[in-house]
Amino acid sequence: MAIQIINPVVLEKISELAKVTGLTKTAVVEKAIEDLVRNHRIDVQTTQRKKMLALLAQFDRVDKNRSLENTDIAWDENGLPK
């Protein structure tokens, strides 16, 4: 599948990057896309990790000696909230 880039500013940036890196224009575009995808994945993983760590921190603050029978939460037969 071919791609056509019409924007002259983008074309100039691709050409300039190809010159300074010694890569072909195609390789420059491929590397830029790979870098963007990798950074996006890292951002998503970091966000998910932060959320999980926050949830675990909440669990750590739960009083382990407190009875769950007197809470407003309904529990199922597996001890999980309904």
Side-chain angles (χ1 to χ4, degrees), residues 8-72:
V9 174
V10 173
L11 291 172
E12 181 58 35
K13 288 179 181 181
I14 293 170
S15 295
E16 184 179 334
L17 200 51
K19 282 182 191 174
V20 298
T21 62
L23 298 172
T24 65
K25 291 178 183 180
T26 301
V28 164
V29 172
E30 181 181 18
K31 178 151 178 37
I33 291 169
E34 287 173 352
D35 290 349
L36 280 170
V37 168
R38 183 176 42 259
N39 288 340
H40 177 71
R41 284 188 185 139
I42 290 170
D43 290 345
V44 169
Q45 290 170 349
T46 300
T47 300
Q48 290 172 339
R49 180 174 168 79
K50 285 179 182 178
K51 287 179 181 179
M52 190 180 307
L53 290 173
L55 181 60
L56 290 173
Q58 287 179 351
F59 286 142
D60 286 342
R61 289 192 299 270
V62 171
D63 183 359
K64 293 164 185 62
N65 298 320
R66 183 174 166 218
S67 171
L68 297 176
E69 294 175 9
N70 298 326
T71 64
D72 294 334

Side-chain angles (χ1 to χ4, degrees), residues 69-80:
E69 294 175 9
N70 298 326
T71 64
D72 294 334
I73 301 172
W75 301 90
D76 68 12
E77 63 277 358
N78 296 314
L80 298 172

